[in-house]
Amino acid sequence: MTNDLDIFVGNTTLIDEDVYRLWLDGFSVSDAVTLRLRSGILEQTGATVDVLQSDTMDHYRTFHMLERLLHTPSKLIHQLHFQIPPSRQAMLIERYYAFDESFVREVLGKKLSKGTKKDLDDISTKTNITLKSCRRQFDNFKRVFKVVEEMRGSLVENIQQHFLLSDRLARYYAAIVFFANSRFETGKKKLQFLTFEDFAYCAEQMIENWTLGAVDSNVDDMDVDLDKEFLQELKELKVLIADKDLLDVHKSLVCTSLRGKISVYNEMEANFKNLSRALVNIASKLTHNKDVRDFFIDLVEKFIEPCKSDKWTLNDVRLFLTQYMTSAHTVDAFRHQALWDRYMNTIKSCLLKMYHD
Amino acid sequence: MPGKLKVKIVAGRHLPVMDRASDLTDAFVEVKFGNTTFKTDVYPKSLNPQWNSEWFKFEVDDEDLQDEPLQITVLDHDTYSANDAIGKVYIDIDPLLYSEAATVISGWFPIYDTIHGIRGEINVVVKVDLFNDLNRFRQSSCGVKFFCTTSIPKCYRAVVIHGFVEELVVNEDPEYQWIDRIRTPRASNEARQRLISLMSGELQRKIGLKVLEMRGNAVVGYLQCFDLEGESGLVVRAIGTACTLDKISNTAFLPACNSPSKEMKEIPFNEDPNPNTHSSGPSTPLKNQTYSFSPSKSYSRQSSSSDTDLSLTPKTGMGSGSAGKEGGPFKALLRQQTQTALEQREFPFFTLTAFPPGFLVHVGGVVSARSVKLLDRIHNPDEPETRDAWWAEIRQEIKSHAKALGCHAVVGYSESTSICEEVCILSASGTAAVLNPRFLQDGTMEGCLEQRLSWQPGFFSIGSEKGEVDFFPQNQDSSSLLGTEETSPLGCGFCHIPYDELNMPFPAHLTYCYNCRKQKVPDVLFTTIDLPTEAMVIGKGCLIQARLCRLKKKAQAEANATSISNLLPFMEYEVHTQLMNKLKLKGMNALFGLRIQITVGENMLMGLASATGVYLTALPTPGGIQIAGKTPNDGTYEQHISHMQKKINDTIAKNKELYDINPPEIPEEIIGSPFPEPRQRSRLLRSQSESSDEVMELDLSHGKKDAFVLEIDDTDAMEDVHSLLTDVPPPPGFYSCNTEIMPGINNWTSDIQMFTSVRVSRLSNINLTNQTLNKNFNDLCENLLKSLYFKLRSMIPCCLCHVNFTVALPEDEVIQVTVTAVAITFDKNQALQTSQVPAAEKTLQRASTDNEEQLQFPLELCSDPLVSQPFSPAKEVLENASSHTGIPAAQRAASLDKASPLAEGHLRHRSIPSCTNSSVSVVKMTPLSFIPRAKITKYLGIINMFFIRETTSLREEGGVSGFLHAFIAEVFAMVRAHVAALGGNAVVSYIMKQCVFMENPNKNQAQCLINVSGDAVIVVRESELEMVPVQPSAPVSQPTSAGGDVTT
């Protein structure tokens, strides 16, 4: 005897969080049943495999029907089809838009296009995340990107408003959108030690300081694109390295204040000009899209790696960058104080976040 | 021109994309009532149109108001071709026609299409201005209230319970009318939906007229069904109980209606100040055998059963054998009164299953009748005489059965049909009972007038002066006045036999009542009603089911009907035996809520009986079950038998423990044995159809209690015993019943989950024999229950209440089982008698600690006033929320430019996601007549909806399961939306009366018809009641102004 049809419909939609996770993870019904069996649920409840199978199917069907609504979370909130308590709605949305660290590291900064979607097979194999789950995560990125791409106002708030995500998740999505838009390279081997969280932090700093929206809160502002004028102006900073006097003054100011405070004083003194050149060069090149993309590689290659090879501690880096930044203000001939702060504040935060093993 | 209907179309949202090119829709709306149609303007290029139309006004007769549904059609305007329909909304405006119900219908309704399902939502406001019409020849019955609830609704008081009303209307089924046989699915589905809606309206109006004739003002226990007779037509029929109801004005002081069970005590004795005074009746209990079974052998036109009239001679006035005892003369008197009160009625039937205290005097047992008919075309729809005559026949039979049991009335009465091709089984069943005449009398009846006067002071005046502390103040005085021999504070009166013990209609075993020790009671009691609140029960109850299949040969017409008729008695007998065995196995002695469904298919008949078993203290302790073998002297066989016997005994012991059945031992001497031959009973049931030939087995009865003997004489019997033992008890923490009240549990929480589960099973590759069929059917039901327990495990400790199984045989070798029930969590730790306040606190704590685990809406208890109080002043907040989320409230639409709602949303900055303040108000649904831990403050009207859904892309919609799952969810959604639009927040007495599912996988097609009904109500949670003592009805009318308010 086979059951052709087997359904359970509650007035309040029944949601099993464990099954939801399995579904989100892209497991087929039979895999999900196997996994649930392993969890020992039968022993706890005295149910049979048939019951488990039927239950799993039922939940999968529900999730499948809900998926359409999850694509537009505000619809899920206002729809009448499924009666779901608000706390559960929030949970459904949050989990649906959650993503795997290993997946996002593969996709971060890539163009969210069909081409990338075709590579999901490889990503799936590499990360051991099911293709189905990869697709969901990728589609989420793309969907959020599409909606907020052309939108004015705060990126995080736009995302929160349209996708009803928690603050944390909305910030992560803002980072993903920001990275995808500027196509920052994050996948190179040298960058592998960086976590998504590191990038998300950097993205937040850049959005807060370097985009159009950062200057004033005019509604026309866009958070997604870097402030082109600002990038142009950054060229002015070149004087810090191009003018030999300025460079020397700057160096002496930094060295004076750091003497005895920093554990790698000699290395710092020896390397100062290189490091300063690196930081200012990165700034001046940001007008080219190509160099924007390589921003993180440059930071790592030109700054982090040299410091690491000299065994700077995080504290050394912090002391150096702080002094490096503030000392520039006392260099009389240097006139771009505001520009310098806008640039260096972000660079400092990013470097400190990225300076780890 | 006694009515003006006004309709305003406010807005739409989430519309489907109808224009692929622009990904938008140019929507407009047609509003149709009767033959008048209005249209809104086209709202171009939007999926969230803001029509904000003028008021469309229809001037109509109130007759039409009752019959016609309001039809709202949403269309996509197309300049070059025909406009495409997006979907429809049918609104039943009946609730607006009586003053005490809703005043306005306003809210978001899902736009429904029979092919695509729900496609967006539309916001509509509907009002009715009624003019008084004193025309006494009017055809309308506006003002008569209808309730699905099968008890007196909670905020009303029954002044008079008039009795049975019934009506049926027939029509051609549009599905079978298309002459060219080229079926256009959407058109034919919509024609059917509309027709059934019309017929329901007409039926309700006609029943209303009958009620007015009886001088009633309401119908309680209204049950409407439709029979799809295929080519012979469509029958919509309804039964109900006419009453005169009084609204209880000061509802604030009413005892909370949450759980009738609260009033029940496990062992009440004196702690209870005012419980069960009634049962003033004499001693007339009922008989276990309960069963007057008489499937009518007739089919087609042949007149029905022969046994009917034999017992018609009333045992009534006869004073009965026990007349010599205490209650003799009174009994006769009471009988006479009741008799007169009921005689005027053609059918003294009541569809109620729970009664005002004192109404039910004695219960005689279950009466049922079935009849097999051949369907033929209904030639003249205006005179559905044949169908009427069929039902009249059946009812007559029921009436005579009741008389045979010494009863004048039938309570818990219901009717049903099962149709397969041209054969139809009509069934009716109820519980024979003796009623207290005072509720039935009209002032007109002379014989009763005197009586009535005499107890009026005790009843009516007290009632009105005290502000109605209870529906019926206990009228001790009335019973003493009536000279009742005992007021039976022990709540056992209803168990006492109503018939004459020397002239019993069937062999039965009587003992003196274990409570009062004065009157006779049967050893087992079967009823179709709910457990009376005054009943005393030991332990908890449990769901008991008997399941049975019988193969039959495929045959045509009369031959088919004959073979079905021949099978019926055997099925009834066996169902009864199974019930009895299972009851004994549970250590219980009474069944409530018994419902036996016989379903006919092409090549088989299915029987499914469900009931709730309990242990009534008034009835004797059930004996065990004894197994007897027929072939003695066979060692291994004997061993086997004794092994089985041991298993059975173990099971009984285990069940007693499980259900807390530990009756106090009562010494035999006290009870006495009124009958010298107590053992005679043991073979009673079998003796009905077999001639009990072997007396020797009687010796097997052990000890003082007579045992129930199961004879293992063939493999069949073996199977029986096996199946007895294969019923698995529910897992720990679960209880189940099919009645409103679960004895032994009364500390409900507000955590409820109503659900419908459907299974369709194909019996392919099975050697079809009765045994394999039985086993398969049994497994199907058991697995379904197991599945439910598993799904609802997070609600433990929990009770499944009002578990309602329906079986259908849609095609050869296919069984469909549908279950609807409500799971209610109860608080295990709480003592029975503690007050409610700590209870609420407790729930609250739990809710806040583990609300992630909760299925229901724990937040209702603590936070989130927006969700739980749709009409609270939080409206402003809600509006804000709506605008934030990009869906502007409708009122503002006019003042805003036509910027897309999306763009508008962006302008408003906000930092907190709005997930927490959902704008969709919660509507609870339950098949019970109450919501636990809440009080019904207002009934808003009956919900009676019929939907058809069809698909031609079955695979794409997830196969049959995906299709039906989505459809049932849609039906729930539409019910909730209608209730919310009426201003309600719950549906009680919800029932899915029909779920007809057909598929054709080869064509990738499926179709399903669903009919649901219930009572829309406003409930207020107990915890709120305590804080706000008076919750007037004022807030209810608020949605009027809240045209686009998202609360709906």
Side-chain angles (χ1 to χ4, degrees), chain B residues 168 227 229 235 237 294-296 298-300 304 368-375 386-395 397-398 413-420 423-429 564-565 568 572 596 598 600:
Chain B
L168 65 80
D227 301 327
E229 294 187 353
V235 177
R237 58 193 162 79
S294 67
S296 126
S298 68
Y299 57 92
S300 165
S304 92
S368 73
R370 292 179 207 282
S371 160
V372 183
K373 301 288 184 191
L374 279 178
L375 299 171
T386 339
R387 293 336 181 246
D388 269 341
W390 288 354
W391 286 110
E393 219 171 69
I394 295 249
R395 289 170 192 144
E397 200 175 320
I398 290 278
Y413 180 74
S414 67
E415 295 176 347
S416 62
T417 57
S418 172
I419 298 173
C420 178
V423 174
C424 174
I425 302 182
L426 310 184
S427 310
S429 73
I564 293 170
S565 296
L568 283 179
E572 301 240 16
I596 302 174
I598 304 267
V600 58

Side-chain angles (χ1 to χ4, degrees), chain B residues 19 63 144-145 516 547 557 595 626 818 834 845 878 966 1020:
Chain B
D19 180 357
E63 190 181 334
V144 175
K145 293 180 277 289
C516 65
R547 305 159 187 139
R595 188 169 160 268
Q626 285 290 325
T818 310
T834 40
Q845 276 170 9
L878 284 174
V1020 178

Side-chain angles (χ1 to χ4, degrees), chain A residues 46-74:
Chain A
T48 61
V49 183
D50 289 352
V51 168
L52 199 62
Q53 168 90 19
S54 139
D55 179 66
T56 311
M57 292 274 284
D58 219 63
H59 284 299
Y60 266 55
R61 236 183 349 257
T62 308
F63 299 141
H64 183 73
M65 287 189 269
L66 287 173
E67 188 164 23
R68 181 178 55 87
L69 297 165
L70 283 164
H71 291 166
T72 331
S74 66

Side-chain angles (χ1 to χ4, degrees), chain B residues 619-658:
Chain B
L619 304 190
T621 310
I625 297 177
Q626 285 290 325
I627 296 184
K630 269 205 146 178
T631 41
N633 308 325
D634 180 342
T636 53
Y637 190 69
E638 294 274 304
Q639 206 177 352
H640 182 64
I641 295 275
S642 68
H643 177 66
M644 297 278 268
Q645 181 68 59
K646 187 171 175 302
K647 258 169 92 176
I648 286 179
N649 293 345
D650 289 351
T651 313
I652 294 179
K654 228 185 283 166
N655 280 330
K656 282 186 173 175
E657 197 178 322
L658 181 61

Side-chain angles (χ1 to χ4, degrees), chain A residues 183-195:
Chain A
R183 311 264 302 279
F184 289 105
E185 176 60 66
T186 64
K188 285 272 154 53
K189 205 167 178 199
K190 281 185 175 164
L191 298 179
Q192 286 310 314
F193 74 99
L194 294 171
T195 64

